[in-house]
Amino acid sequence: MNDKLERDVTYVKSVGPKKAEVLARVGIKTVYDLLQYCPRDYVDLSEPSEIRTVTPNDERSYVIRGRIASKLPPSHIRKGMTLCKAVVTDDTDDITLTLFNQEYTFANLREGDDVVLYGKVTGNTFRREMSSPLIFPANTPDLIIPVYPLTNGLTQNAIRKAVKSALDLVEGEVEDVMPPAVRESAAMCTQYYAWENVHFPKSMIGAHEARRRLIFDELFVHSLAIGYTRSLDNVYNSCPMEPVTFHRFEDVLPFKLTTAQKKALVDIATGLCGKRRMNRLLQGDVGSGKTAVAAGAAYFAFMNGYQSCMMAPTEILAAQHYKTFRTLLEPLGIRVGLLTGSLTPKNKRAVQESAAAGELDCLIGTHALFSENTAFKRLGLVMTDEQHRFGVEQRAALSAKGSDPHRLTMSATPIPRTLALIFYGDLEISVLDELPEGRMPVATYAVTGRVRERAYGFVKKQLDMGHQGYIVCPAVDESGLDIIDAKSYYEKLARGAFADYRLGLLHGRMNGAEKEEVMELFKAGEIDLLVATTVIEVGVDVPNATIIVIENADRFGLSQLHQLRGRVGRGGHESFCVLITDNTSPDNVKRMKTISSTTDGFRIAEEDLKLRGPGDFFGTNQHGLPTFKIADLTRDVNLLETAQKLSKRFLDADPRLEKPENAVLRELVGKIVEGAAEMN
Ligand code: ADP
Ligand code: MG
């Protein structure tokens, strides 16, 4: 990078050590940081309001053009506190200009001067007042003024002055970080133009163009960092496999694989036989049949003499996968084991010893799989279901149990593709974009609590037909809040509306064995209606269940509701989802409309993203979603797509950023990669 850009910010003329300290608080350390510091907004001074028309105590700030009619003598209101006032007039009315502790600014104003003011207006319509506004001479050449985010001790003027000096300092010497070809393809302005116009725009269009370039830079560099990291993770395949056909596996399946499932299996087989260690994401909406694909992958590993393991986020799911895998794989001679926290120590040890001795070919489990006592003889494939419930460290720990086994991750969260690239940056992706044949969309209705009794009647009709159902509550225990909890709701229903039916209760505070017992009864059809918390959210598969009622539906995210709804409609019977909510806020009404009108997980995810933002979408930032300084992932998706496309092309030509002309980019990418390494 240009030397001057890397200098400490005190190198800038108007910035001394004290100001530098303040600037450091907003993350500005170098000249470059200063130039990259983006205004949060702009004021257009060419469009003033008439004083007569401004509303006092409005949220917004106003631009006013007028003349200083009179200045009052400064008054010392308190020790160290000076108050200066002047009356400013335009042809329509007067306004009082008030300045605290700004004697110097005040002294520079003269009666008869034409000025432009920008600030909030207080007082009332008879006596309007503007306190400590930004003041510009009427003939100011800059008509569009940036408004920066501030911190204590930092003023708009101070930043503007510093930026101006910085721009003068580097004028004519700035080498563009962006390679010309990329800049042209993305139709971006030059770097210096961007800095000049983001800070001192001649027009709003200029400001917009400049901003677009800086956002693009951020996204482009980030995309490069992802691609670059992936090239470093070019891990040699230390569990190489040979092609085998899936015929035998397909023969034992009770159904025909969908085209999407077949394609995913081919992707996986290719990966397992490739030069590099496979690291693949299998993404598919609820009910798309990810488990069968996972079983196919385990079969492939087995045929190559490798063990595999599958990690599930809950005991219920682990138990369910265990059953499915046994049904599908044992006829093929594959020995399947289950390892969960609720096994007795003796049983646990027995399973662990079998895995270590190579007497088990496929081990299903929960977090217990991470325990240091778990070892494998020849682990070749690690599969995780619903990965973002596991931490990065846990996955790494499991990987360490083999000689760098292949990885397959399953997720039912349909992440918009652009975000998937950011979120799962280093993964290859296979998508199951097709549901098995004969599935009917789940009819979904949002209602208020007033028709609860009718909803019960509807549920009973389903149960009387021999089907089963779920009622989901947001809480386990009574909380005192206005939230329906599973325990007391269960009691109430068992004694009241559903006294004639077999009810079950399932929630996260029950121990593993208790939960499993209830699930077994439900699967066996010995429970008609299961009152549950969101423990059933992920993956639970009971095809005979045709109705799900969700209480306090407004307490769940859209994607979560979609997951819950995915518990029904799995068996080819007409199925229903009833959402009960008394929240009539426009936001909630909109959410309920969305979920009732579509069963497309991707559309729902996108809607969720718009309503809640990317941070919430993934729970929190701990999932490795980067935070950007200027870019906003909900708003700048188009730029992100361009950046991803161009960065890929760019890296194809220089995968490790080794060409001399890419030195500056390598530096910027290096900073991100280092930062990410520190986070992990
Ligand atoms: P998810 O992708 O949500 O994990 P599952 O793997 O649990 O979905 O599969 C959902 C249901 O669909 C299961 O009952 C499974 O047996 C069934 N299934 C999976 N693949 C097919 C298929 N190709 N044809 C018919 N049913 C299928
Ligand atoms: Mg599943």
Side-chain angles (χ1 to χ4, degrees):
M1 200 181 294
N2 178 304
D3 285 354
K4 288 181 177 170
L5 287 173
E6 286 193 88
R7 296 261 185 127
D8 193 274
V9 68
T10 47
Y11 188 61
V12 173
K13 227 192 291 161
S14 69
V15 181
K18 235 171 127 190
K19 190 133 292 156
E21 239 173 71
V22 179
L23 288 173
R25 268 193 261 140
V26 291
I28 300 174
K29 297 201 184 79
T30 62
V31 176
Y32 178 78
D33 295 338
L34 178 60
L35 289 168
Q36 287 283 98
Y37 194 66
C38 265
R40 64 173 161 74
D41 204 358
Y42 295 93
V43 185
D44 190 348
L45 296 186
S46 63
E47 290 182 3
S49 306
E50 294 182 336
I51 295 178
R52 182 183 53 184
T53 64
V54 307
T55 323
N57 308 312
D58 211 348
E59 268 299 300
R60 56 168 286 204
S61 297
Y62 284 97
V63 176
I64 284 172
R65 260 172 195 276
R67 171 166 301 153
I68 308 230
S70 59
K71 283 171 71 175
L72 311 179
S75 55
H76 299 273
I77 45 176
R78 228 181 296 140
K79 203 168 163 224
M81 180 82 119
T82 327
L83 185 64
C84 302
K85 288 189 179 218
V87 176
V88 173
T89 174
D90 65 5
D91 292 338
T92 67
D93 211 338
D94 292 346
I95 190 163
T96 306
L97 161 64
T98 311
L99 298 173
F100 292 97
N101 285 354
Q102 293 184 55
E103 282 168 283
Y104 178 73
T105 309
F106 190 67
N108 276 329
L109 297 174
R110 281 171 323 199
E111 285 179 9
D113 276 357
D114 286 320
V115 289
V116 183
L117 309 177
Y118 174 73
K120 287 194 172 154
V121 176
T122 54
N124 54 51
T125 45
F126 302 105
R127 200 174 164 288
R128 294 184 176 85
E129 193 169 331
M130 200 179 242
S131 294
S132 303
L134 295 176
I135 306 173
F136 308 92
N139 60 358
T140 177
D142 307 317
L143 284 176
I144 297 181
I145 306 296
V147 183
Y148 296 93
L150 294 180
T151 180
N152 238 342
L154 193 61
T155 63
Q156 297 293 347
N157 270 325
I159 298 191
R160 265 217 307 281
K161 237 166 97 183
V163 171
K164 184 92 189 116
S165 314
L167 276 174
D168 290 345
L169 187 70
V170 301
E171 182 170 9
E173 298 178 28
V174 179
E175 212 189 305
D176 210 303
V177 289
M178 195 61 63
V182 175
R183 217 178 64 218
E184 267 162 41
S185 306
M188 292 290 158
C189 62
T190 65
Q191 177 122 53
Y192 192 80
Y193 180 94
W195 280 334
E196 208 176 20
N197 281 273
V198 86
H199 296 294
F200 300 100
K202 306 249 173 351
S203 67
M204 282 315 262
I205 294 175
H208 176 78
E209 260 182 89
R211 212 183 158 77
R212 186 167 163 270
R213 158 80 204 245
L214 296 184
I215 291 170
F216 180 76
D217 282 12
E218 197 172 25
L219 297 172
F220 182 75
V221 171
H222 191 272
S223 303
L224 281 184
I226 288 175
Y228 174 79
T229 315
R230 191 189 282 196
S231 82
L232 293 185
D233 187 43
N234 197 347
V235 183
Y236 174 73
N237 183 351
S238 52
C239 306
M241 303 193 194
E242 297 286 328
V244 272
T245 72
F246 287 101
H247 295 325
R248 275 184 65 215
F249 172 69
E250 288 183 68
D251 285 346
V252 299
L253 282 177
F255 42 73
K256 265 180 64 195
L257 290 173
T258 64
T259 313
Q261 283 171 319
K262 280 189 190 154
K263 193 171 165 298
L265 277 175
V266 170
D267 285 349
I268 291 165
T270 310
L272 297 176
C273 302
K275 282 206 188 78
R276 289 164 50 173
R277 174 209 345 89
M278 182 182 79
N279 193 10
R280 179 167 290 276
L281 174 71
L282 176 63
Q283 205 190 329
D285 207 348
V286 282
S288 57
K290 294 183 287 293
T291 317
V293 174
Y299 167 76
F300 194 91
F302 168 78
M303 293 303 283
N304 274 280
Y306 285 100
Q307 290 172 298
S308 59
C309 67
M310 163 98 145
M311 186 162 63
T314 64
E315 299 222 343
I316 294 178
L317 267 190
Q320 180 178 297
H321 284 327
Y322 174 60
K323 239 181 109 184
T324 311
F325 272 52
R326 279 185 65 181
T327 318
L328 298 183
L329 300 179
E330 276 186 352
L332 298 166
I334 301 176
R335 295 159 298 180
V336 185
L338 175 69
L339 185 67
T340 63
S342 59
L343 289 185
T344 62
K346 196 172 141 224
N347 284 341
K348 207 185 272 177
R349 213 170 320 120
V351 173
Q352 283 166 332
E353 279 166 14
S354 314
E359 290 155 11
L360 280 177
D361 305 305
C362 181
L363 186 57
I364 317 282
T366 54
H367 292 73
L369 284 178
F370 304 124
S371 109
E372 49 189 88
N373 297 326
T374 310
F376 293 87
K377 184 151 185 239
R378 200 164 179 240
L379 182 62
L381 172 65
V382 171
M383 301 183 279
T384 33
D385 196 3
E386 304 299 334
Q387 85 146 7
H388 51 275
R389 285 157 200 256
F390 296 103
V392 174
E393 312 81 30
Q394 293 173 317
R395 270 175 281 143
L398 197 52
S399 279
K401 293 196 182 294
S403 60
D404 216 346
H406 300 282
R407 304 173 193 173
L408 179 66
T409 301
M410 276 150 281
S411 171
T413 314
I415 298 168
R417 191 156 184 97
T418 35
L419 284 188
L421 280 174
I422 285 211
F423 188 42
Y424 298 112
D426 56 336
L427 274 67
E428 311 281 340
I429 302 181
S430 296
V431 182
L432 297 184
D433 51 5
E434 170 190 7
L435 293 182
E437 255 175 60
R439 288 284 164 79
M440 271 179 276
V442 178
T444 305
Y445 308 96
V447 300
T448 67
R450 270 184 313 185
V451 296
R452 189 172 276 116
E453 292 299 326
R454 256 172 62 200
Y456 290 163
F458 193 61
V459 173
K460 284 179 195 165
K461 236 166 89 191
Q462 288 298 310
L463 304 186
D464 293 342
M465 285 163 71
H467 293 310
Q468 291 162 282
Y470 303 93
I471 295 195
V472 180
C473 309
V476 179
D477 277 308
E478 249 174 296
S479 61
L481 299 171
D482 217 1
I483 305 174
I484 294 173
D485 70 277
K487 276 186 184 166
S488 36
Y489 200 51
Y490 166 80
E491 298 290 336
K492 203 177 101 189
L493 293 184
R495 269 186 268 111
F498 288 90
D500 298 336
Y501 295 84
R502 294 167 300 173
L503 253 58
L505 173 66
L506 185 72
H507 59 74
R509 303 254 179 83
M510 292 160 57
N511 70 36
E514 286 169 346
K515 278 190 282 196
E516 208 171 306
E517 194 188 326
V518 174
M519 259 340 275
E520 281 308 318
L521 287 173
F522 189 64
K523 278 188 186 178
E526 283 165 35
I527 290 175
D528 301 313
L529 184 63
L530 190 59
V531 180
T533 58
T534 53
V535 288
I536 63 146
E537 175 189 339
V538 180
V540 168
D541 185 33
V542 178
N544 188 41
T546 55
I547 183 153
I548 183 165
V549 177
I550 302 173
E551 289 280 0
N552 289 125
D554 53 318
R555 302 211 148 246
F556 301 93
L558 280 188
S559 294
Q560 206 181 3
L561 288 175
H562 181 61
Q563 288 292 322
L564 285 168
R565 174 169 63 183
R567 297 314 110 218
V568 299
R570 302 171 81 86
H573 312 289
E574 196 179 12
S575 298
F576 307 91
C577 170
V578 180
L579 307 165
I580 303 186
T581 168
D582 289 323
N583 179 340
T584 54
S585 71
D587 233 28
N588 191 49
V589 170
K590 188 161 174 239
R591 280 157 32 87
M592 293 304 133
K593 269 211 184 107
T594 304
I595 189 94
S596 317
S597 62
T598 179
T599 48
D600 177 347
F602 279 91
R603 251 204 69 203
I604 289 167
E606 265 162 27
E607 206 53 44
D608 217 11
L609 184 65
K610 266 190 245 154
L611 290 167
R612 296 196 298 162
D616 268 352
F617 187 79
F618 294 113
T620 58
N621 278 339
Q622 78 190 6
H623 299 311
L625 201 67
T627 47
F628 292 108
K629 283 197 176 119
I630 323 172
D632 172 344
L633 289 183
T634 42
R635 187 194 55 201
D636 301 323
V637 168
N638 287 339
L639 276 182
L640 178 63
E641 272 166 15
T642 312
Q644 283 171 344
K645 201 177 79 204
L646 293 177
S647 72
K648 190 159 181 301
R649 205 187 292 165
F650 189 73
L651 281 175
D652 283 344
D654 187 9
R656 298 279 172 98
L657 299 172
E658 283 159 341
K659 294 190 181 162
E661 65 267 31
N662 297 331
V664 180
L665 278 177
R666 187 174 58 232
E667 229 175 277
L668 294 173
V669 165
K671 277 186 195 157
I672 294 183
V673 175
E674 274 165 39
E678 269 165 37
M679 268 170 56
N680 280 344

